[in-house]
């Protein structure tokens, strides 16, 4: 399918934040880039973590059994292997390039454990909020193998892995992502650019859009707004973005989605609209009915 290319009104780089080193689960060392806040600046994105280490001590404890309610978690592995298990006996082995898109909704209790004792473990976990109307739906999984994620090789070098959303190329060719049917219409692209490359990508005008650079550096607007590895930048006002590289290559995630615009109340692994709903989640977890 193709659409007629039009001139894009390019977004500019606004807020830039640096990932903070922290630990979560059973002592897994990670870089937290987006963390849940009442202001919810990146609506509907609630959290973005990057884990990357070749030291077993940094990750071996994994994330033992813990609950979630009210949102989606997206795990994308770049290297290593992770075993996922939930309270219903569902099990998935995530390996390099694989994605697990888990809609926790009403509730799940799961563990996410490294399946290796040495070697590099690298990946991302993103939390995407759900609208009130979907927070109490049954949970749902989409496990996507690396081979099933469309990859677009760019003529000037580099490539885009289209995990979710549509990528519209310069000639109007549309590549549809592996994940569909999510009401916030998320875009999740893993983009690798060669040195000296420029790439324009259409983004829906109403969407929140952020770039997270995990290797190298990239210029993310036409005003010399530069992001280096470990930085996330929000791109605002427009229906397209332009990325360019200098002497070095760059690896980055482009995340975009329709904001939900509802109140966000978060406590640990629960994200709801009101304090009463959070209290209910804790009661349901205690009573064994959060995840049934
Ligand atoms: Co989890």
């Amino acid at each position: 399918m193709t659409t007629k290319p039009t001139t894009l009104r390019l977004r500019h780089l606004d807020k830039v934040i640096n990932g903070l080193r922290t630990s979560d689960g059973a002592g897994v060392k990670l870089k937290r880039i987006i963390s849940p806040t009442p202001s919810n600046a990146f609506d509907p994105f609630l959290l973005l973590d990057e884990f990357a280490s070749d030291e077993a001590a940094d990750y071996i404890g994994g994330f033992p059994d813990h609950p979630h309610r009210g949102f989606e978690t997206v795990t994308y592995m770049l290297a290593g292997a992770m075993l996922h298990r939930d309270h219903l006996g569902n099990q998935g082995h995530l390996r390099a390039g694989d994605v697990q898109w888990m809609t926790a909704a009403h509730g799940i209790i799961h563990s996410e454990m490294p399946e290796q004792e040495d070697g590099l473990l690298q990946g991302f976990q993103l939390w995407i909020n759900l609208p009130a109307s979907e927070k109490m739906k049954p949970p749902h999984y989409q496990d996507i193998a690396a081979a099933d994620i469309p990859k677009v090789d760019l003529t000037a070098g580099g490539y885009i892995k289209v995990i979710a959303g549509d990528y519209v190329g310069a000639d109007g060719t549309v590549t549809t992502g592996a994940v569909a049917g999510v009401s916030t219409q998320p875009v999740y692209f893993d983009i690798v650019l060669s040195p000296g490359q420029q790439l324009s990508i259409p983004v829906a005008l109403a969407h929140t859009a952020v770039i997270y650079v995990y290797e190298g550096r990239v210029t993310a607007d036409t005003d010399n707004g530069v992001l280096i590895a470990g930085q996330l930048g929000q791109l605002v006002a427009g229906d397209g973005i332009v990325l360019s590289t200098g002497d070095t290559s760059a690896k980055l995630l482009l995340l975009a989605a329709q904001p939900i615009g509802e109140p966000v109340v978060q406590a640990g692994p629960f994200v709801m609209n009101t304090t009463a709903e959070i209290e209910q989640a804790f009661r349901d977890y205690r009573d064994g009915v959060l995840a049934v």
Side-chain angles (χ1 to χ4, degrees):
M1 172 179 147
T2 60
T3 59
K4 197 166 181 293
T6 51
T7 307
L8 299 174
R9 192 161 69 91
L10 297 172
R11 294 186 177 216
H12 65 270
L13 185 60
D14 185 27
K15 202 175 297 163
V16 175
I17 56 175
N18 291 290
L20 292 175
R21 295 194 181 281
T22 183
S23 68
D24 204 344
V28 178
K29 289 193 180 148
L30 49 81
K31 202 181 279 174
R32 180 147 292 163
I33 304 120
I34 298 177
S35 49
T37 57
S39 65
N40 198 25
F42 304 106
D43 181 16
F45 302 119
L46 297 164
L47 174 144
L48 177 64
D49 284 343
E50 177 185 15
F51 43 93
S53 178
D54 56 6
E55 293 287 329
D58 290 347
Y59 60 74
I60 204 73
F63 301 88
D65 275 347
H66 60 278
H68 293 292
R69 173 179 277 180
F71 58 100
E72 311 191 81
T73 69
V74 181
T75 307
Y76 174 41
M77 298 289 290
L78 292 177
M82 191 92 94
L83 172 64
H84 170 267
R85 255 198 207 114
D86 78 2
H87 67 288
L88 293 172
N90 295 311
Q91 189 166 302
H93 299 261
L94 280 169
R95 297 184 188 286
D98 295 349
V99 171
Q100 185 199 53
W101 197 290
M102 184 187 78
T103 307
H106 183 284
I108 63 102
I109 298 167
H110 73 162
S111 62
E112 300 156 285
M113 304 297 288
E115 282 195 297
Q116 60 188 50
E117 293 182 4
D118 53 31
L120 178 63
L121 186 79
Q122 186 178 13
F124 303 97
Q125 187 164 95
L126 174 70
W127 291 8
I128 307 177
N129 206 3
L130 286 169
S133 58
E134 296 180 33
K135 284 184 179 293
M136 295 298 266
K137 285 190 168 178
H140 176 65
Y141 294 95
Q142 297 180 69
D143 283 309
I144 303 121
D148 295 328
I149 296 171
K151 181 168 170 254
V152 179
D153 289 312
L154 302 167
T155 47
Y159 59 82
I160 302 180
K161 290 188 180 179
V162 187
I163 295 167
D166 286 341
Y167 169 67
V168 182
D171 64 354
T173 305
V174 179
T175 304
T176 297
V179 172
V182 178
S183 64
T184 49
Q185 303 158 28
V187 166
Y188 193 141
F189 296 167
D190 181 12
I191 302 174
V192 172
L193 297 177
S194 299
Q197 189 169 3
Q198 190 177 74
L199 176 69
S200 299
I201 305 175
V203 175
L205 191 62
H207 278 193
T208 299
V210 298
I211 294 281
Y212 177 66
V213 179
Y214 63 92
E215 205 178 299
R217 58 189 286 146
V218 71
T219 304
D221 65 14
T222 54
D223 301 322
N224 262 330
V226 172
L227 293 169
I228 62 167
Q231 288 186 323
L232 175 135
Q234 185 165 19
L235 297 164
V236 299
D239 61 0
I241 64 169
V242 63
L243 303 172
S244 52
T245 48
D247 296 342
T248 56
S249 58
K251 297 183 178 183
L252 55 109
L253 305 181
L254 166 62
L255 308 171
Q258 178 70 39
I260 294 172
E262 293 175 358
V264 172
V265 183
Q266 183 251 353
F270 307 131
V271 182
M272 302 300 288
N273 299 111
T274 67
T275 304
E277 289 167 348
I278 290 290
E279 288 165 356
Q280 184 68 49
F282 279 106
R283 272 197 305 277
D284 287 354
Y285 184 45
R286 185 196 61 205
D287 296 345
V289 294
L290 179 102
V292 287

